[in-house]
Amino acid sequence: ELLSNGRISKVHQPYQSEIILVMRANGKNHKVLLSAHPSYARIQITEIPYENPNTPPNFCMMMRKQLEGAILENIEQIGNDRVIHFTFKSRDEIGDVRNVVLIVELMGRHSNIFLIEQDTKRIVDCIKHVPTSMNTYRSVMPGATYISPPHQDKLNPFATTEAEIAQVVTPDPETTMQKQLQTAYQGLGGDTAAELVYRSESNPAELPAVFQAFISEVSDGKYTPTLTGNNKKEHFTPTPFLSLTGEKKLFPSLSQLLDAYYSGKAEKDRVN
C-alpha cells in the first residue's frame, strides 16, 4: 500500500549484496531495501542511513539505467514462498514502454536479485552470477532465460481448511506435530510451527482451530510487530508469540521491527 504506483527516483548499492530503491509514492520518499545477504536476506522499507561507495558497482549502474523513472505496477509473492516479483513499467533507450520484473529470492546463502524482461523472461542482470557448473538446474547469468526455483509441492497456509489441517497432523510416535506442519505447509518457519503447537497445548484436535485463528491474525494486516528478547537471543514476530520468553517490545510496522532487529547485526557483520 505504501509503494502503490510509486516511481523510482534513485538506486543505490551500499554493499555487495544489497540494493536500495528510493521510491516516491503518495507524496513521500521511501527507501526499499532488497537484501540478498547470505544470513540477513530480507525485503523491507528502511530508515537506517547507508553510506554509498564512491564508485557504484556494475549491477547498480545497470539498475539505474533500467529502472530510474520506472513506475511500480505490482508486487506479488509466489505462493507462500520467499520469492517476490516487483513489476515495473519503464522505457527503453528509444522511449518505447516495456515491462521489467525485479525478482528477489530469499533463499539463505542462495539468495539473489534478478532483473528480467517480462515478455521474454531474459535475465538482464543479477546481483550474484552462478555458472552452470555450480548450478545444473538453471543458469544464473545475464542473457539466460529466468527459471523459477524448484517448486515445492506443499500447501499454502493462507488457503488451507480445518479439514486439511486435521489430515496433516496425526498422532505419530516417530515425528512431532511441529515437523508434520513444516513438512506439509509452504513457508512455515520453525518458530511459527512451534507457536501453533504451543497454542494448541500439543493437542491435535485443537490445532485446526488454532491454526486458522493464527492465520487470520496475521493476514488481515492487523499485525502487532513484536521483538522478544532475552540475554541470549532476539526474535522478531508479526504478532506476540506466547511460546517465546523474554521482554516484548511492540512496533508500529513490520519494517520498523526489522530495522530494530537488523541494524546492529548487519553493521557488526560488515565491520567483521
Side-chain angles (χ1 to χ4, degrees):
E1 289 165 9
L2 277 175
L3 304 176
S4 184
N5 291 320
R7 181 187 289 272
I8 295 187
S9 57
K10 292 191 182 92
V11 180
H12 301 299
Q13 188 175 348
Y15 303 103
Q16 187 182 350
S17 50
E18 294 178 333
I19 283 284
I20 288 181
L21 307 176
V22 181
M23 290 183 69
R24 182 91 182 153
N26 306 312
K28 276 188 178 166
N29 283 342
H30 301 281
K31 285 196 299 186
V32 184
L33 169 68
L34 310 176
S35 172
H37 187 285
S39 308
Y40 305 130
R42 65 198 187 280
I43 299 173
Q44 63 164 111
I45 290 167
T46 185
E47 299 295 327
I48 298 172
Y50 286 91
E51 292 283 321
N52 291 310
N54 294 332
T55 311
N58 289 344
F59 184 74
C60 181
M61 301 276 279
M62 180 282 304
M63 291 277 283
R64 286 178 180 174
K65 182 178 162 193
Q66 301 284 344
L67 285 181
E68 281 187 354
I71 292 171
L72 179 67
E73 298 222 304
N74 189 33
I75 303 177
E76 180 193 9
Q77 180 181 8
I78 307 305
N80 195 43
D81 209 349
R82 292 174 298 176
V83 179
I84 310 289
H85 288 202
F86 295 83
T87 305
F88 289 98
K89 186 158 84 178
S90 72
R91 294 187 179 273
D92 61 16
E93 288 89 347
I94 49 176
D96 290 341
V97 173
R98 61 172 195 151
N99 278 10
V100 289
V101 185
L102 188 61
I103 299 174
V104 187
E105 298 178 355
L106 307 176
M107 308 276 178
R109 61 194 180 88
H110 300 295
S111 299
N112 212 334
I113 300 170
F114 298 83
L115 188 73
I116 70 163
E117 294 172 348
Q118 190 181 34
D119 301 340
T120 62
K121 299 279 186 287
R122 186 182 76 86
I123 298 172
V124 181
D125 204 352
C126 41
I127 204 162
K128 297 177 188 170
H129 296 176
V130 182
T132 320
S133 58
M134 289 175 69
N135 186 343
T136 51
Y137 175 75
R138 60 178 186 168
S139 177
V140 182
M141 299 290 271
T145 301
Y146 175 77
I147 296 169
S148 300
H151 180 69
Q152 292 177 310
D153 195 19
K154 292 186 177 185
L155 299 167
N156 184 339
F158 290 92
T160 191
T161 61
E162 290 199 15
E164 268 181 341
I165 301 161
Q167 282 181 327
V168 163
V169 181
T170 54
D172 184 342
E174 294 195 358
T175 176
T176 61
M177 286 169 68
Q178 179 181 335
K179 190 81 181 144
Q180 288 176 343
L181 284 171
Q182 284 193 266
T183 305
Y185 286 98
Q186 184 184 36
L188 198 65
D191 52 354
T192 306
E195 172 72 5
L196 292 169
V197 173
Y198 183 88
R199 289 188 185 189
S200 70
E201 298 178 345
S202 300
N203 182 349
E206 295 288 325
L207 194 72
V210 165
F211 194 117
Q212 292 292 54
F214 176 81
I215 289 298
S216 64
E217 200 180 317
V218 297
S219 58
D220 60 5
K222 295 179 188 156
Y223 303 110
T224 317
T226 307
L227 190 65
T228 306
N230 51 37
N231 296 335
K232 291 180 184 166
K233 204 168 180 200
E234 284 185 320
H235 301 266
F236 60 86
T237 54
T239 188
F241 274 21
L242 310 177
S243 57
L244 295 175
T245 56
E247 187 187 337
K248 289 182 166 49
K249 189 178 175 190
L250 306 183
F251 288 83
S253 75
L254 294 167
S255 281
Q256 282 163 286
L257 166 66
L258 291 180
D259 265 357
Y261 178 84
Y262 279 111
S263 60
K265 288 182 175 50
E267 205 44 57
K268 266 189 206 138
D269 181 67
R270 292 190 191 102
V271 171
N272 287 343

